[in-house]
Amino acid sequence: MSLLHDIQTAVLQDDADLGPILLKLRLLAARLGSQPLAEWVKHESEGYPAGADLPEYRVLAVSYIANFSGPFGSGIQNAPISPYLIEKFAGKSWVRYEMRQSIAAVDDLLSSSTKGGSLGINAACQ
């Protein structure tokens, strides 16, 4: 069985473990002499350094909701705040999160999440 076929088979499994798949991809990159593939596998395995360009799937949109209270008990609960306003007053880094961690760290974050596979940040002031 060829290395590429092994990788394809492993990726298609429902309970695929990414560690061995990334090792096989690193070996494939070395055999092919593909520097871009080798660099991508290295960054996915070890994390992306500060100066490295991130693939778009590693940049997450950040959204905000707020509770507003008014006079006589009036108010709005869970009102979305426009990303345009957040970026205008706080900066681009407040509406885009760069996920630079290794794929193993991302997997750990998702598996330890109490929301069943979703990731969230609660920045509420208490």
Side-chain angles (χ1 to χ4, degrees), residues 12-25:
L12 294 176
Q13 294 177 358
D14 287 336
D15 58 345
D17 184 12
L18 290 177
I21 294 170
L22 289 173
L23 285 174
K24 289 177 183 179
L25 279 168

Side-chain angles (χ1 to χ4, degrees), residues 1-14 16 21 24:
M1 194 178 287
S2 73
L3 180 58
L4 182 58
H5 188 266
D6 286 347
I7 294 168
Q8 290 171 331
T9 302
V11 168
L12 294 176
Q13 294 177 358
D14 287 336
I21 294 170
K24 289 177 183 179

Side-chain angles (χ1 to χ4, degrees), residues 21-105:
I21 294 170
L22 289 173
L23 285 174
K24 289 177 183 179
L25 279 168
R26 189 173 269 186
L27 177 61
L28 179 65
R31 285 187 181 172
L32 295 174
S34 173
Q35 185 60 32
L37 178 59
E39 188 173 310
W40 177 80
V41 171
K42 179 183 178 198
H43 291 324
E44 289 294 322
S45 300
E46 301 171 10
Y48 287 81
D53 290 333
L54 282 178
E56 268 307 304
Y57 63 84
R58 286 282 191 148
V59 179
L60 309 175
V62 179
S63 59
Y64 295 87
I65 58 171
N67 297 329
F68 298 96
S69 58
F72 310 109
S74 66
I76 300 173
Q77 302 293 313
N78 298 321
I81 300 175
S82 168
Y84 170 79
L85 292 175
I86 300 293
E87 185 174 340
K88 180 178 177 181
F89 292 105
K92 193 172 210 166
S93 64
W94 283 77
V95 293
R96 294 172 38 104
Y97 178 72
E98 295 182 346
M99 184 70 77
R100 293 189 173 275
Q101 296 86 342
S102 69
I103 195 68

